[in-house]
Amino acid sequence: MTEYCSVEMGELTWEEFADHVDGSVVFVPVGSTEQHGPHLPLNVDTVIATEFSKRAAQRVDGLVAPPLPYGFKSQAGSGGGADFTGTTNLDGETLRRLFGDVVGDLVADGATNIVAFNGHYENEYFLREAVDLHLEEGDGEFIIASWWDLLSPDVRDDLFSEVPGGFPGWATEHAGVVETALMMQFRPELVREDRVVDDGPDRAPPYVVKPARDDQIASTGAYYKATYATPEIGERVVDDVLDTLVEGIAHEWGDVVPE
Amino acid sequence: MTEYCSVEMGELTWEEFADHVDGSVVFVPVGSTEQHGPHLPLNVDTVIATEFSKRAAQRVDGLVAPPLPYGFKSQAGSGGGADFTGTTNLDGETLRRLFGDVVGDLVADGATNIVAFNGHYENEYFLREAVDLHLEEGDGEFIIASWWDLLSPDVRDDLFSEVPGGFPGWATEHAGVVETALMMQFRPELVREDRVVDDGPDRAPPYVVKPARDDQIASTGAYYKATYATPEIGERVVDDVLDTLVEGIAHEWGDVVPE
Amino acid sequence: MTEYCSVEMGELTWEEFADHVDGSVVFVPVGSTEQHGPHLPLNVDTVIATEFSKRAAQRVDGLVAPPLPYGFKSQAGSGGGADFTGTTNLDGETLRRLFGDVVGDLVADGATNIVAFNGHYENEYFLREAVDLHLEEGDGEFIIASWWDLLSPDVRDDLFSEVPGGFPGWATEHAGVVETALMMQFRPELVREDRVVDDGPDRAPPYVVKPARDDQIASTGAYYKATYATPEIGERVVDDVLDTLVEGIAHEWGDVVPE
Amino acid sequence: MTEYCSVEMGELTWEEFADHVDGSVVFVPVGSTEQHGPHLPLNVDTVIATEFSKRAAQRVDGLVAPPLPYGFKSQAGSGGGADFTGTTNLDGETLRRLFGDVVGDLVADGATNIVAFNGHYENEYFLREAVDLHLEEGDGEFIIASWWDLLSPDVRDDLFSEVPGGFPGWATEHAGVVETALMMQFRPELVREDRVVDDGPDRAPPYVVKPARDDQIASTGAYYKATYATPEIGERVVDDVLDTLVEGIAHEWGDVVPE
Amino acid sequence: MTEYCSVEMGELTWEEFADHVDGSVVFVPVGSTEQHGPHLPLNVDTVIATEFSKRAAQRVDGLVAPPLPYGFKSQAGSGGGADFTGTTNLDGETLRRLFGDVVGDLVADGATNIVAFNGHYENEYFLREAVDLHLEEGDGEFIIASWWDLLSPDVRDDLFSEVPGGFPGWATEHAGVVETALMMQFRPELVREDRVVDDGPDRAPPYVVKPARDDQIASTGAYYKATYATPEIGERVVDDVLDTLVEGIAHEWGDVVPE
Amino acid sequence: MTEYCSVEMGELTWEEFADHVDGSVVFVPVGSTEQHGPHLPLNVDTVIATEFSKRAAQRVDGLVAPPLPYGFKSQAGSGGGADFTGTTNLDGETLRRLFGDVVGDLVADGATNIVAFNGHYENEYFLREAVDLHLEEGDGEFIIASWWDLLSPDVRDDLFSEVPGGFPGWATEHAGVVETALMMQFRPELVREDRVVDDGPDRAPPYVVKPARDDQIASTGAYYKATYATPEIGERVVDDVLDTLVEGIAHEWGDVVPE
């Protein structure tokens, strides 16, 4: 007999899940299928959300629900937009319903503490709306966390101190220093090291134009200086983000997580 | 330099995907998160749909889009229903929108031949509706295939010839002989061999009752004689289903697939 | 003074309905407007669902709500598909809302036991979803029954024993032996006896192709050997289906139906 | 061989419908299931809409699609409201989708001239919206006609000249003089003559109050002086309404209807 | 320090609103952006609904929520229809959701008595539906009032006694005598006095045709004899409508309004 | 005769609008009804969006459509959240539909260049989605601009140089320095100067918690140091934001705006 043990909800039998769900934090990784430059695969946001979720779940004895691999529409200024071949996105209402249905059933299963762990910039408001609509009738407590928000400003500034131009803001750090570094940690075999580029759009106006103009989009799909990425940067980001998240969970839900 | 090669769309860069999508069959695995008895994990339908899709993609030089890991509501008579802890389902309209958005973007990316490969009995009509609504305005050709429908009746009857009671119909072959055998092939480490059971509901009326009655639901979640499952049965099913699918694709779309 | 008496809810005054609805089974026939070959009219599914419902209501002292005469989209493999002139269908979400609104109001009126009696193959999953969504907040008990599922396997096999090729499965028994025979019982004047044909598609692949291929569709619209239909077959089917249904109702809801 | 002939689309085979639909006016009766006082059945609006449609179709060689037997929510001031047992209504969006789907498929079948013939006061704006949304993308020409609007003011005033209080406005002529008279024409066996009453609400304020107040609702459900109804009034209304409708159709669509 | 005082909710701080909302009638003006002939601006319906609401709020010590400046689709027979440049309308479902969300939040804020004050003929049924759907789960009492319904028949007939042709019915009194007169009262600077016209469609059939025919639409957009409008008519209408409304509010909600 | 002239679309007749819309930029202000501390009214976001829009329209000879006075749900971290009395918000899908319907009709009216001018932080993604869905089928070019994004970083840093703690990020500059200063410019009579406070939440975690915790919400509703606001700051912000916007419009649409 194999006593199978996993933080992945999908790998548990229903009885194992039932035994574990009470008082456990359930993480729902939310990613996307979106271009990430010439050197990173389409699944970057899903991989990053899932890998962070697994590591966090291990630290708080939680569970990770099956990740959502499609996200809201990539925007030209933050991910290149819908016209890149391979970028495959959902309408906002679809993502709202999808996430709402999943958390609704998880709560019905006994989950009381759910973390939406987000890896795709454009998802955030639809996750918030899904939770707000769920809470009109439903129960549960929710944390919605995007990994870039969890990185300490100090660490962030230190990481970017050697990058010419410094930290550009998260909206445009797409397929850039940190995402590339994280993939070097999580799935190094998926980083095409010979194709890492420093690219970016010619122009980043302080408003959104639709349909997008060509000069607002990086033609390679890489929005910042990915050549500065290193596995060491990835490791520091992983550690710092996880620390912030686990501390946050302990602060909010100290009664349900082990010390 | 690593020349990365994968049938998984998510592992390709957007440029690699763009190079490959023209004239390629794109498989979209559609699974579920649903109880599968005491011996199989919650992700059975997703694993089976994904693994079949990858093998089929290898045979027709196609691609596999990121799988949909949540499906339409489990029904009491075919999967135990919503009350099993761990079963986490979508509303029909959510699944319809989700699949519709994904195929809409894939077609916009240049995919002309899409296979919805379904591993969850209850999904089928919502996938059909998604494609029908897409085709009101959109392009592309679609095959919607559920693995059980692809198994040759001869092979099926032969496989069940030694099972007391014979083939019970696919609706109730849930967490039973064939799903267990397929998991022994695809992810043997996820089969809890010491907990394989022969169970089933006490009663299977020829109509649906809602809310479901207890005696229509197998209390363990296993709906048929899983103890008869063997890896050899799994292997025969994999081979036969793939042969049927690949022949079907060649018949329908001979011009776009390699011989 | 006329003491009007009817099983049809629509023919009752509100006071008569109010007197009768408590403790009564309410049948909602769900049909379609769909081609049924050269010999049967477009309303076959509605007629069959309504006539069965009336007879069942008489046997359990129940009521029949106004029938829904439009159903979900005809599928190429089971009813010819949307391209037949005259086939007039609803989107899945429309049917779901329609049936959900009707049962919601019936429950608000005091109906506690509702039978969705279905005459159109493609309707089933949207009726199930309507009831599932209703039950998230609402009350009532529901049976969803399609007439073909209620026919005893023994009787079915006996009826088809003289048909070359035997029973083809219900999906393709469209405008075939049993539907033709039932119309001979229920509305014989609507059967164009001189146009009864034995037809069927050239090919019935074990998957769905969309847009449908011509060789998967019977050009006349008749999918099976309607020339074998007789009024006697119709009579046996009516009797057997009603027996199964009434027994089922008694089993599930013995306390609310008269013995 | 029976040469079956009917104005009812549902009674035609698909081939007969296909032969007839080109250049024919197709009527879609839209009714309701709504209380109509102690003397009239719940299906009054559907019966009236259907019977007018059949007679009009005979005069213009048109066709009648299967009637919609459920309508938008009864309002307290015009039909008693949702609280009457037996009143079974649809949400506005459901009716909009339902009618929109039906006319969409009829137009796809070749219908170019469609009459929504309405028998339920509250339906009108949702039928208009359905047609407006259909016409954003779709084809066809539409008449939306409610029978009361078609009655000539002269005839109307003459009919009410002997009713104390005269014509009260159509909103409150519910289960009153004209509806009762029409049922005496169309389905006399459904009129409970011994229960015809003169009733009405105590108060009819010039605004809507929700939830409705009791004194705004006629407790019997009859809103006006039904005792003044006669079959002769019914006959005059039938003739006048049909004349107005047929003249209107000839005016709008003279090229598609026979003289 | 300024002690700011206003009936306009939008001009209050949240604390001032919180102090005032309990036991106050909250008016929600619902208008449109719709052509109103050559002499009146596009915002007529919104101005009228808002100005009546403010005056009523002053009389009952109530509050006026921010007005909804877009309404349901203008219809050819009552407002010229969608083809007039400048007419900018909402789908019915959008208006239903919009009004439903607003009243839902107002009720959550403590409002118990809400008046939807409507200035656009076509809005009414979608406001009713919004309230009906709100009341399925929610609380509160609602009056839905359109200003033309509040005008006493006696006053109306007196006002029109000197207009050749008399009162034409409210559907076609668009940009006509009363709306022009009201704007002369409420916003005289917006009335282009040199462009006031007497116009109307050539034909007003007793049914709706879609797409609309040209001869059913007044080419100037003015549907009735605006040249008969005077500020004095406007004043009488304002006074009479307000009296009716305030009396109605006192009758329905005497306990919550000051005497 | 008065020759009325206004940048407000609502104040124009349809003919005046028709004359002006071709080649004009149309601004649609999008605000909210949301608490803004003890010193600012609920309509701050709408006032600011509208006033900026009018000034910009004057500079580019454009038009201002009627403002949308309700926005997406206030979030605890950026505006206090739904629990403040007076905050009255829309579901995301409602706002998406509302804005989509408005821009759809404006484009149908001939508007080719539309600026969504946003005054409420939480609206942005639903405006983007509305435009993306519009552009799937529709025409037009769109700028979506939020005033805080248009403020030059240099000016912003200079303005905050004397505020202890400096610039806190826009999410939390709610009812703070800049919004207060803008209201001092646009509607000084609405600023309760005696109630201006320096407040803020006790804690601003780098993730969202739902339901929100009390210590994440400023109890007064003011999120930053409003006491540092001056009319001069307001004036500088107005000038700088307008310069950026008008330059942006000239850059994107130089061909349609006057020099």
Side-chain angles (χ1 to χ4, degrees):
Chain A
M1 164 189 173
T2 317
E3 184 63 38
Y4 193 85
C5 185
S6 173
V7 292
E8 293 185 51
M9 173 185 172
E11 299 197 342
L12 302 182
T13 68
W14 73 269
E15 292 170 327
E16 292 163 354
F17 178 74
D19 283 349
H20 206 75
V21 70
D22 267 337
S24 290
V25 177
V26 179
F27 296 79
V28 185
V30 191
S32 77
T33 298
E34 186 191 28
Q35 76 82 16
H36 275 79
H39 61 294
L40 294 179
L42 295 164
N43 65 7
V44 161
D45 293 346
T46 311
V47 165
I48 292 175
T50 306
E51 294 299 321
F52 270 123
S53 293
K54 285 183 183 174
R55 281 161 179 75
Q58 279 155 353
R59 286 177 56 173
V60 301
D61 196 19
L63 293 166
V64 181
L68 305 187
Y70 299 95
F72 179 60
K73 290 171 185 147
S74 177
Q75 301 288 307
S78 47
D83 288 344
F84 274 93
T85 302
T87 294
T88 306
N89 295 138
L90 306 181
D91 286 353
E93 178 67 1
T94 304
L95 178 60
R96 197 278 304 166
R97 292 184 66 126
L98 173 60
F99 188 67
D101 286 1
V102 169
V103 300
D105 266 21
L106 290 173
V107 168
D109 280 344
T112 52
N113 299 72
I114 294 175
V115 174
F117 196 96
N118 179 32
H120 177 60
Y121 198 79
E122 289 87 344
N123 287 339
E124 181 141 346
Y125 268 79
F126 302 95
L127 303 179
R128 292 187 185 200
E129 172 69 330
V131 173
D132 279 345
L133 291 177
H134 168 79
L135 287 172
E136 285 184 6
E137 305 281 321
D139 299 319
E141 299 196 357
F142 298 84
I143 288 174
I144 303 171
S146 295
W147 63 258
W148 49 90
D149 287 332
L150 299 173
L151 185 62
S152 312
D154 290 350
V155 175
R156 182 194 69 199
D157 291 344
D158 191 45
L159 294 177
F160 277 90
S161 62
E162 298 190 14
V163 180
F167 175 62
W170 288 116
T172 51
E173 221 282 343
H174 180 83
V177 179
V178 185
E179 285 195 325
T180 304
L182 283 171
M183 288 300 284
M184 287 170 168
Q185 274 294 315
F186 290 143
R187 297 287 301 276
E189 76 282 10
L190 294 181
V191 181
R192 280 69 163 170
E193 301 213 354
D194 58 323
R195 292 189 233 149
V196 180
V197 293
D198 286 355
D199 193 14
D202 293 341
R203 194 167 61 98
Y207 47 78
V208 171
V209 185
K210 289 179 180 280
R213 308 284 173 164
D214 285 347
D215 63 357
Q216 296 174 292
I217 299 173
S219 61
T220 62
Y223 272 65
Y224 206 58
K225 302 177 195 291
T227 58
Y228 289 82
T230 62
E232 291 69 33
I233 289 178
E235 189 175 9
R236 286 190 65 191
V237 174
V238 172
D239 290 346
D240 185 67
V241 165
L242 281 175
D243 285 350
T244 309
L245 179 60
V246 171
E247 282 166 27
I249 290 171
H251 181 92
E252 308 296 344
W253 300 330
D255 49 328
V256 295
V257 295
E259 302 177 22
Chain B
M1 165 191 171
T2 316
E3 183 62 41
Y4 195 85
C5 186
S6 172
V7 293
E8 292 186 52
M9 173 185 171
E11 300 197 341
L12 302 182
T13 67
W14 73 270
E15 293 170 327
E16 292 163 356
F17 178 73
D19 284 348
H20 206 75
V21 69
D22 267 336
S24 290
V25 177
V26 179
F27 296 79
V28 185
V30 191
S32 77
T33 298
E34 186 190 28
Q35 76 81 17
H36 275 79
H39 61 294
L40 294 179
L42 295 165
N43 65 6
V44 162
D45 293 347
T46 311
V47 165
I48 291 176
T50 305
E51 294 300 320
F52 270 124
S53 293
K54 284 183 183 175
R55 282 160 179 76
Q58 281 155 351
R59 286 177 56 173
V60 301
D61 196 18
L63 294 166
V64 181
L68 306 187
Y70 298 95
F72 179 61
K73 289 170 185 146
S74 177
Q75 300 289 307
S78 47
D83 287 344
F84 274 93
T85 302
T87 293
T88 306
N89 295 138
L90 307 180
D91 286 353
E93 179 66 1
T94 304
L95 178 59
R96 198 276 305 166
R97 291 183 68 125
L98 173 60
F99 188 68
D101 286 2
V102 169
V103 300
D105 266 20
L106 290 173
V107 168
D109 280 344
T112 52
N113 299 73
I114 294 174
V115 175
F117 196 96
N118 179 33
H120 178 58
Y121 198 78
E122 289 86 344
N123 286 339
E124 181 142 345
Y125 268 78
F126 302 95
L127 302 180
R128 292 186 186 201
E129 173 68 332
V131 172
D132 279 345
L133 290 176
H134 168 80
L135 286 172
E136 285 185 7
E137 305 281 322
D139 298 318
E141 299 196 357
F142 298 85
I143 288 174
I144 303 170
S146 295
W147 63 259
W148 48 90
D149 287 333
L150 299 173
L151 185 62
S152 312
D154 289 352
V155 174
R156 182 196 69 200
D157 291 344
D158 191 45
L159 296 177
F160 277 90
S161 62
E162 297 190 15
V163 180
F167 175 63
W170 288 116
T172 51
E173 222 282 344
H174 180 83
V177 180
V178 184
E179 285 195 325
T180 305
L182 283 171
M183 289 300 285
M184 287 170 168
Q185 273 293 316
F186 290 143
R187 297 284 302 275
E189 78 280 11
L190 295 180
V191 182
R192 282 67 164 168
E193 300 213 357
D194 59 323
R195 292 189 233 149
V196 179
V197 294
D198 287 354
D199 193 14
D202 293 341
R203 193 166 61 96
Y207 47 78
V208 170
V209 185
K210 290 179 181 280
R213 308 285 174 162
D214 285 348
D215 62 359
Q216 297 173 291
I217 299 172
S219 62
T220 62
Y223 272 66
Y224 206 59
K225 301 175 195 292
T227 59
Y228 288 82
T230 63
E232 292 71 33
I233 288 177
E235 189 175 9
R236 284 191 65 192
V237 173
V238 172
D239 290 346
D240 186 65
V241 164
L242 281 174
D243 285 349
T244 308
L245 178 60
V246 171
E247 282 165 27
I249 289 171
H251 181 92
E252 307 297 343
W253 299 332
D255 50 329
V256 295
V257 294
E259 300 177 23
Chain C
M1 164 188 174
T2 316
E3 183 63 40
Y4 195 84
C5 185
S6 173
V7 293
E8 293 186 51
M9 172 184 172
E11 299 197 343
L12 303 182
T13 68
W14 74 270
E15 293 170 328
E16 292 162 355
F17 177 74
D19 284 347
H20 206 75
V21 69
D22 267 337
S24 289
V25 177
V26 180
F27 296 79
V28 185
V30 192
S32 77
T33 298
E34 186 191 28
Q35 77 82 15
H36 275 79
H39 62 294
L40 294 178
L42 295 164
N43 66 6
V44 162
D45 293 347
T46 311
V47 165
I48 291 176
T50 305
E51 294 299 321
F52 270 123
S53 293
K54 285 183 183 174
R55 283 161 179 75
Q58 279 154 353
R59 287 177 55 173
V60 302
D61 196 18
L63 294 165
V64 181
L68 306 186
Y70 299 95
F72 179 60
K73 290 171 185 147
S74 177
Q75 299 288 308
S78 47
D83 288 344
F84 275 92
T85 302
T87 294
T88 306
N89 295 138
L90 307 180
D91 286 353
E93 178 67 0
T94 305
L95 178 59
R96 197 278 303 167
R97 291 184 68 125
L98 173 60
F99 189 68
D101 286 1
V102 170
V103 301
D105 265 21
L106 290 173
V107 168
D109 280 344
T112 52
N113 299 74
I114 294 175
V115 175
F117 196 96
N118 179 32
H120 177 59
Y121 198 78
E122 288 87 343
N123 286 339
E124 181 141 346
Y125 268 78
F126 302 95
L127 303 179
R128 292 187 185 200
E129 172 68 332
V131 173
D132 280 345
L133 290 175
H134 167 81
L135 287 171
E136 285 185 6
E137 305 281 323
D139 299 319
E141 299 196 358
F142 297 86
I143 288 174
I144 302 171
S146 296
W147 63 258
W148 50 90
D149 287 334
L150 299 173
L151 185 62
S152 312
D154 290 350
V155 175
R156 182 194 69 200
D157 291 345
D158 193 44
L159 294 178
F160 277 91
S161 63
E162 297 189 15
V163 180
F167 175 64
W170 288 116
T172 52
E173 221 282 343
H174 179 83
V177 180
V178 185
E179 285 193 326
T180 304
L182 283 171
M183 288 300 284
M184 287 170 170
Q185 274 293 316
F186 289 143
R187 297 286 301 276
E189 78 282 9
L190 294 181
V191 181
R192 281 69 164 169
E193 300 213 355
D194 58 322
R195 292 189 233 150
V196 179
V197 294
D198 287 355
D199 193 14
D202 293 341
R203 194 166 62 98
Y207 47 78
V208 171
V209 185
K210 287 178 182 278
R213 308 284 173 163
D214 285 347
D215 62 357
Q216 297 173 292
I217 299 173
S219 62
T220 62
Y223 272 66
Y224 206 59
K225 301 175 196 293
T227 59
Y228 290 83
T230 63
E232 292 70 33
I233 290 178
E235 189 175 8
R236 285 191 65 191
V237 173
V238 172
D239 289 346
D240 186 65
V241 164
L242 281 174
D243 284 349
T244 308
L245 179 59
V246 172
E247 282 165 28
I249 290 170
H251 182 91
E252 308 295 345
W253 299 331
D255 49 329
V256 294
V257 295
E259 300 177 24
Chain D
M1 164 190 174
T2 317
E3 183 63 38
Y4 194 84
C5 186
S6 173
V7 294
E8 292 186 52
M9 173 184 172
E11 298 197 343
L12 302 182
T13 67
W14 74 269
E15 292 169 328
E16 292 163 355
F17 178 74
D19 284 348
H20 206 75
V21 70
D22 267 336
S24 289
V25 177
V26 179
F27 296 80
V28 186
V30 192
S32 78
T33 298
E34 186 191 28
Q35 77 81 16
H36 274 79
H39 61 294
L40 294 179
L42 295 165
N43 65 7
V44 162
D45 294 346
T46 311
V47 165
I48 291 175
T50 305
E51 293 300 321
F52 270 123
S53 293
K54 284 184 184 172
R55 282 160 179 76
Q58 280 154 352
R59 286 177 57 172
V60 302
D61 196 19
L63 293 166
V64 181
L68 305 187
Y70 299 94
F72 179 62
K73 290 171 185 147
S74 178
Q75 300 289 307
S78 48
D83 287 344
F84 274 92
T85 302
T87 294
T88 306
N89 294 140
L90 307 181
D91 286 353
E93 177 67 1
T94 304
L95 178 59
R96 198 277 304 167
R97 291 184 67 126
L98 173 60
F99 189 67
D101 286 2
V102 169
V103 300
D105 266 20
L106 290 173
V107 168
D109 280 344
T112 52
N113 299 73
I114 294 175
V115 174
F117 196 96
N118 179 33
H120 177 59
Y121 197 78
E122 289 87 344
N123 286 338
E124 181 142 346
Y125 269 79
F126 302 95
L127 303 179
R128 292 186 186 202
E129 172 69 331
V131 173
D132 279 346
L133 290 176
H134 167 80
L135 287 171
E136 285 185 6
E137 305 280 321
D139 299 319
E141 299 196 358
F142 298 85
I143 288 174
I144 302 171
S146 296
W147 64 258
W148 50 90
D149 287 333
L150 299 174
L151 186 62
S152 312
D154 289 351
V155 175
R156 183 194 68 199
D157 291 344
D158 192 45
L159 295 178
F160 276 91
S161 62
E162 298 190 15
V163 180
F167 174 63
W170 288 116
T172 52
E173 220 282 344
H174 179 83
V177 180
V178 186
E179 284 193 328
T180 304
L182 284 171
M183 288 300 283
M184 287 170 168
Q185 273 293 316
F186 290 142
R187 297 287 301 277
E189 78 281 11
L190 294 181
V191 181
R192 282 67 165 170
E193 300 212 356
D194 58 322
R195 292 189 234 149
V196 179
V197 293
D198 286 354
D199 193 13
D202 294 341
R203 193 167 60 98
Y207 47 77
V208 171
V209 185
K210 290 180 180 280
R213 308 285 174 163
D214 285 346
D215 62 358
Q216 297 172 289
I217 299 173
S219 62
T220 62
Y223 271 65
Y224 205 59
K225 301 177 196 292
T227 58
Y228 289 83
T230 64
E232 292 69 35
I233 290 178
E235 189 175 8
R236 284 190 67 190
V237 173
V238 172
D239 290 346
D240 186 65
V241 165
L242 281 174
D243 284 349
T244 308
L245 179 60
V246 171
E247 282 165 28
I249 289 171
H251 182 91
E252 307 296 344
W253 299 331
D255 50 328
V256 296
V257 295
E259 303 177 21
Chain E
M1 164 190 171
T2 318
E3 183 63 40
Y4 194 85
C5 185
S6 173
V7 294
E8 293 185 52
M9 172 185 172
E11 300 197 343
L12 302 182
T13 68
W14 75 268
E15 292 169 329
E16 292 162 355
F17 178 74
D19 284 348
H20 206 76
V21 69
D22 267 336
S24 290
V25 177
V26 179
F27 295 79
V28 186
V30 191
S32 77
T33 298
E34 186 191 28
Q35 76 82 16
H36 276 79
H39 61 294
L40 294 178
L42 295 165
N43 65 7
V44 162
D45 293 346
T46 311
V47 165
I48 292 175
T50 305
E51 294 299 321
F52 270 123
S53 293
K54 284 183 183 173
R55 282 161 179 75
Q58 279 154 352
R59 288 177 56 172
V60 302
D61 196 19
L63 293 166
V64 181
L68 305 186
Y70 299 95
F72 179 61
K73 291 172 185 144
S74 177
Q75 300 288 307
S78 47
D83 288 344
F84 274 93
T85 302
T87 294
T88 306
N89 295 137
L90 307 181
D91 286 353
E93 178 66 1
T94 304
L95 178 60
R96 197 277 303 166
R97 292 183 68 125
L98 173 60
F99 188 68
D101 286 1
V102 169
V103 300
D105 266 20
L106 290 174
V107 168
D109 279 345
T112 52
N113 299 73
I114 293 174
V115 175
F117 196 96
N118 180 32
H120 177 59
Y121 198 79
E122 290 87 343
N123 286 340
E124 180 141 347
Y125 269 78
F126 302 95
L127 303 179
R128 292 187 185 200
E129 173 68 332
V131 173
D132 280 345
L133 290 176
H134 168 80
L135 287 171
E136 285 184 7
E137 305 280 322
D139 298 320
E141 299 197 358
F142 298 85
I143 288 175
I144 303 171
S146 296
W147 63 259
W148 50 90
D149 288 332
L150 299 174
L151 185 61
S152 312
D154 289 350
V155 175
R156 182 194 68 200
D157 292 344
D158 192 44
L159 295 177
F160 277 90
S161 63
E162 298 189 15
V163 180
F167 175 63
W170 288 116
T172 52
E173 221 282 344
H174 179 83
V177 179
V178 185
E179 285 194 324
T180 304
L182 284 170
M183 288 301 284
M184 287 170 169
Q185 275 293 314
F186 291 142
R187 297 286 301 276
E189 78 281 11
L190 294 181
V191 182
R192 280 70 164 168
E193 301 213 354
D194 59 323
R195 293 189 233 148
V196 179
V197 293
D198 285 356
D199 193 14
D202 294 339
R203 194 166 61 96
Y207 47 79
V208 171
V209 185
K210 287 178 182 281
R213 308 285 173 163
D214 284 347
D215 62 358
Q216 297 173 291
I217 299 173
S219 62
T220 62
Y223 272 67
Y224 206 59
K225 302 176 197 292
T227 58
Y228 289 83
T230 63
E232 292 70 34
I233 290 178
E235 189 175 10
R236 285 190 65 190
V237 174
V238 172
D239 290 346
D240 186 66
V241 164
L242 282 174
D243 284 349
T244 309
L245 179 59
V246 171
E247 282 166 27
I249 290 170
H251 182 92
E252 308 296 344
W253 300 331
D255 50 328
V256 295
V257 295
E259 300 177 24
Chain F
M1 164 190 171
T2 317
E3 184 62 39
Y4 194 83
C5 186
S6 172
V7 295
E8 292 187 51
M9 173 185 171
E11 299 197 342
L12 302 182
T13 68
W14 73 270
E15 292 169 328
E16 292 163 356
F17 178 74
D19 284 348
H20 205 75
V21 69
D22 266 336
S24 289
V25 177
V26 180
F27 296 79
V28 186
V30 192
S32 77
T33 298
E34 186 190 27
Q35 76 81 17
H36 275 79
H39 61 294
L40 294 179
L42 295 165
N43 66 7
V44 161
D45 293 346
T46 311
V47 165
I48 292 175
T50 305
E51 294 300 320
F52 270 124
S53 293
K54 284 184 184 173
R55 282 160 180 76
Q58 280 154 353
R59 287 178 55 173
V60 301
D61 195 19
L63 294 165
V64 181
L68 305 187
Y70 299 95
F72 179 61
K73 291 171 185 144
S74 176
Q75 300 288 308
S78 47
D83 288 344
F84 274 92
T85 301
T87 293
T88 306
N89 295 138
L90 306 181
D91 286 352
E93 178 66 1
T94 304
L95 178 60
R96 198 276 304 166
R97 291 184 68 125
L98 173 60
F99 188 68
D101 286 1
V102 169
V103 300
D105 266 21
L106 289 174
V107 168
D109 279 344
T112 52
N113 299 72
I114 294 174
V115 175
F117 196 96
N118 180 33
H120 178 59
Y121 197 78
E122 290 86 343
N123 287 338
E124 180 141 348
Y125 269 79
F126 302 96
L127 303 180
R128 292 187 185 199
E129 172 68 332
V131 173
D132 280 345
L133 290 176
H134 168 80
L135 286 172
E136 286 185 5
E137 306 280 321
D139 298 320
E141 300 196 358
F142 298 85
I143 288 174
I144 303 171
S146 295
W147 64 258
W148 50 89
D149 288 333
L150 299 173
L151 185 60
S152 311
D154 288 351
V155 175
R156 182 195 69 201
D157 292 345
D158 191 46
L159 295 177
F160 277 90
S161 62
E162 298 190 15
V163 180
F167 175 62
W170 288 116
T172 52
E173 221 282 344
H174 180 84
V177 180
V178 186
E179 285 193 327
T180 304
L182 283 171
M183 288 300 284
M184 288 169 169
Q185 273 294 315
F186 290 142
R187 298 286 301 276
E189 78 280 12
L190 295 180
V191 181
R192 281 69 164 168
E193 300 212 355
D194 59 323
R195 293 189 231 148
V196 180
V197 293
D198 287 354
D199 194 14
D202 294 340
R203 193 166 60 97
Y207 46 78
V208 170
V209 185
K210 288 179 182 280
R213 308 285 174 163
D214 285 347
D215 62 358
Q216 298 173 290
I217 300 174
S219 62
T220 62
Y223 272 65
Y224 205 58
K225 302 176 196 292
T227 59
Y228 289 83
T230 63
E232 292 69 34
I233 289 177
E235 189 175 10
R236 284 191 66 190
V237 173
V238 172
D239 290 345
D240 186 65
V241 164
L242 281 174
D243 285 348
T244 309
L245 178 60
V246 171
E247 282 166 27
I249 289 171
H251 181 92
E252 307 296 344
W253 300 330
D255 50 329
V256 295
V257 294
E259 301 177 23

